[in-house]
């Protein structure tokens, strides 16, 4: 199978996401754990989506109507910064700070 998850560790707790990258229509679970005197856990089911389908539809809508607003380039720069930090953290086994772009 194609199992995957993302765990983000911070000073105040963790965020865990099941199936963050596989496009499926089934819900993905997000688990938020806050550290303190006691661990507080919240679970959220996020509706599934096919990200590739939505990206293609968005691109097609911009081609058909160039006056539509595209997402700002800063969103892409932030996504790349987050992905690079994830890779550095994975390789080093240590937390990596992200510079605000």
């Amino acid at each position: 199978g194609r199992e995957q998850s993302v765990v983000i560790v911070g000073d105040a707790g963790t965020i865990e996401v099941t199936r963050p990258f596989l496009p499926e229509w089934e819900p993905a679970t997000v688990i938020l754990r806050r550290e303190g005197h006691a661990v507080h856990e919240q679970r959220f089911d996020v509706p599934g989506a096919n990200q590739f389908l939505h990206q293609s539809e968005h691109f097609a809508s911009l081609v058909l109507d160039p006056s539509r607003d595209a997402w700002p380039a800063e969103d892409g720069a932030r996504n790349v910064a987050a992905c690079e930090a994830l890779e550095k953290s994975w390789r080093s086994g240590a937390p990596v700070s992200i510079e605000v772009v």
Side-chain angles (χ1 to χ4, degrees):
R2 301 179 302 176
E3 293 187 29
Q4 60 175 299
S5 67
V6 169
V7 179
I8 303 167
V9 179
D11 294 337
T14 61
I15 301 171
E16 181 178 347
V17 183
T18 62
R19 290 187 305 95
F21 306 113
L22 288 178
E24 292 185 20
W25 295 109
E26 295 298 318
T29 302
V30 177
I31 303 168
L32 173 62
R33 291 186 187 93
R34 292 189 181 108
E35 306 295 330
H37 295 335
V39 175
H40 178 71
E41 181 174 296
Q42 292 177 279
R43 291 176 174 261
F44 305 91
D45 284 329
V46 179
N50 185 325
Q51 301 94 323
F52 305 118
L53 172 65
H54 295 308
Q55 288 172 359
S56 298
E57 289 174 340
H58 179 71
F59 177 75
S61 73
L62 293 173
V63 170
L64 294 172
D65 183 3
S67 66
R68 281 190 60 163
D69 287 336
W71 293 310
E74 291 82 7
D75 285 356
R78 288 185 194 108
N79 285 334
V80 170
C83 290
E84 288 176 341
L86 284 169
E87 180 188 16
K88 288 177 186 174
S89 178
W90 174 73
R91 290 186 185 280
S92 69
V96 174
S97 297
I98 299 175
E99 183 179 326
V100 177
V101 180

